[in-house]
Amino acid sequence: EAQVTQNPRYLITVTGKKLTVTCSQNMNHEYMSWYRQDPGLGLRQIYYSMNVEVTDKGDVPEGYKVSRKEKRNFPLILESPSPNQTSLYFCASSPRDRVSGANVLTFGAGSRLTVL
Amino acid sequence: RKEVEQDPGPFNVPEGATVAFNCTYSNSASQSFFWYRQDCRKEPKLLMSVYSSGNEDGRFTAQLNRASQYISLLIRDSKLSDSATYLCVVNMLSSSASKIIFGSGTRLSIRP
């Protein structure tokens, strides 16, 4: 089944304890992206990757790192989590439409992170 | 001003009603437009792309007005299962970058 898989789905951690949220897709998509969703603010892009070894900042990259060593994986790293990073996180991937260039996103099921 | 703005709702309408949402975007360089649907505590899923000429998918009709920089979604004969949050999405593209911006969403609740 074509899908985007995120882990963990739920995590409660403490301030400063490094954590990684994994994201994997099996659709051979070039484009991958991370979002956080907060009440009243909608989905905000953290980082994205147009292809392997290419990553770019989104709108809210502070406090996060990513890597894209392989096409299928795009982990999100919080080196020193803080309470303001408590949020619902979504990973998404998309093929690159060669005609329009548009990205139609397939999302993972989400990871709910609480930082105490 | 937000780059993509939507009326947050909630819209509370009876089953069978027609309901319309609008979404405005601020950047005229925006090139691709979409409506996504998000059920409570679930991931967003693509509802439909929005084309310049307007497009229809069953009970759903999407329109784009580039001059006024807004897109719309019309739902006819609404069903209970249409209750969800509808997200307007704008994609700005260049040869080296892709910026995808989501609106905050419009909540729709269909009552029996």
Side-chain angles (χ1 to χ4, degrees):
Chain A
E1 181 190 350
Q3 59 187 358
V4 178
T5 304
Q6 297 179 227
N7 280 296
R9 293 287 316 282
Y10 303 92
L11 179 64
I12 299 174
T13 189
V14 295
T15 298
K17 186 175 181 183
K18 180 180 177 179
L19 69 92
T20 299
V21 186
T22 63
C23 174
S24 181
Q25 51 94 4
N26 61 1
M27 296 168 281
N28 202 37
H29 286 170
E30 293 94 343
Y31 183 94
M32 296 187 75
S33 183
W34 276 102
Y35 298 86
R36 60 178 289 174
Q37 187 171 35
D38 303 289
L41 297 176
L43 278 152
R44 293 179 293 166
Q45 191 174 47
I46 304 170
Y47 269 94
Y48 67 95
S49 169
M50 301 279 280
N51 215 324
V52 176
E53 300 291 3
V54 178
T55 62
D56 282 291
K57 295 178 180 178
D59 294 317
V60 289
E62 295 77 20
Y64 304 95
K65 285 172 59 177
V66 292
S67 67
R68 188 91 183 273
K69 296 190 174 76
E70 308 159 282
K71 199 171 190 180
R72 63 182 292 126
N73 295 323
F74 191 46
L76 180 70
I77 303 156
L78 286 72
E79 293 272 2
S80 183
S82 61
N84 65 13
Q85 292 178 297
T86 292
S87 188
L88 177 59
Y89 291 87
F90 288 104
C91 180
S93 72
S94 168
R96 182 78 171 166
D97 186 307
R98 305 267 181 240
V99 176
S100 71
N103 296 103
V104 175
L105 297 166
T106 300
F107 283 84
S111 296
R112 187 166 290 281
L113 171 64
T114 301
V115 183
L116 302 175
Chain B
R1 185 187 169 193
K2 289 183 182 176
E3 290 186 90
V4 177
E5 295 208 61
Q6 294 182 250
D7 183 339
F11 285 61
N12 189 325
V13 302
E15 200 173 3
T18 295
V19 60
F21 311 134
N22 282 336
C23 164
T24 58
Y25 59 95
S26 60
N27 193 324
S28 58
S30 303
Q31 293 173 275
S32 302
F33 308 88
F34 307 91
W35 284 101
Y36 280 71
R37 171 198 167 121
Q38 186 175 24
D39 293 296
C40 189
R41 286 189 271 277
K42 300 273 191 157
E43 72 273 24
K45 292 184 179 177
L46 178 70
L47 178 66
M48 58 197 303
S49 303
V50 186
Y51 302 119
S52 296
S53 54
N55 48 298
E56 195 172 299
D57 184 0
R59 298 180 292 108
F60 298 85
T61 301
Q63 299 252 317
L64 167 64
N65 186 318
R66 283 191 186 272
S68 301
Q69 294 184 197
Y70 79 81
I71 68 174
S72 64
L73 178 68
L74 182 79
I75 305 175
R76 289 182 300 279
D77 187 24
S78 52
K79 312 289 184 195
L80 295 175
S81 57
D82 293 334
S83 296
T85 296
Y86 290 83
L87 304 170
C88 169
V89 180
V90 171
N91 197 178
M92 288 181 279
L93 303 154
S94 68
S95 58
S96 59
S98 174
K99 188 170 184 183
I100 302 173
I101 303 166
F102 284 77
S104 298
T106 298
R107 274 179 46 212
L108 173 65
S109 179
I110 308 295
R111 62 179 189 270

